[in-house]
Amino acid sequence: MDTQDIVETWRREAIQEGVKQGVMQGVAHSLIEVYEARFGAMPADLRAVVEDVDDEPMLVGWLRLIGTGSADEIAAAIRSFRAS
C-alpha cells in the first residue's frame, strides 16, 4: 500500500465517522425535541446523558419510547443507562 492509498483510506474512514456522528447528533436532537413537545423541558441530567451517548440503537430505542411511554418510564430508561 503506498502513501496515496493510506491517505485515501484515512479520508474515507474520517468521512464515515463524521457521517455517523452527524446521524447520532441528529437522532439525539430529535429525541430531545420530541420529549420536549410531549412533556416540556427535558431535565438537565437526562439531556446530558442523551447528548453523550454514542450508541445509535440506544438513541433510536429511546426515541421510540419517548413517542409511546410516560415521562417516568423515559427518565428511568435513560437514567439506568447512565448508571450502568
Side-chain angles (χ1 to χ4, degrees):
M1 183 179 280
D2 67 14
T3 303
Q4 184 62 33
D5 292 336
I6 293 169
V7 169
E8 183 59 27
T9 299
W10 176 84
R11 186 184 74 76
R12 273 186 299 210
E13 289 173 0
I15 289 170
Q16 288 173 344
E17 183 62 27
V19 168
K20 179 182 173 188
Q21 288 298 321
V23 167
M24 287 191 300
Q25 288 174 349
V27 173
H29 178 75
S30 295
L31 189 153
I32 293 166
E33 289 292 320
V34 172
Y35 181 98
E36 291 184 344
R38 287 195 67 204
F39 306 111
M42 179 178 267
D45 67 316
L46 299 183
R47 179 183 287 266
V49 173
V50 168
E51 290 174 343
D52 285 344
V53 168
D54 63 355
D55 181 340
E56 186 178 356
M58 180 65 67
L59 291 172
V60 170
W62 289 344
L63 183 56
R64 288 185 179 132
L65 180 60
I66 286 171
T68 60
S70 70
D72 290 337
E73 291 171 323
I74 296 159
I78 294 172
R79 287 183 177 126
S80 72
F81 179 81
R82 185 177 62 183
S84 58

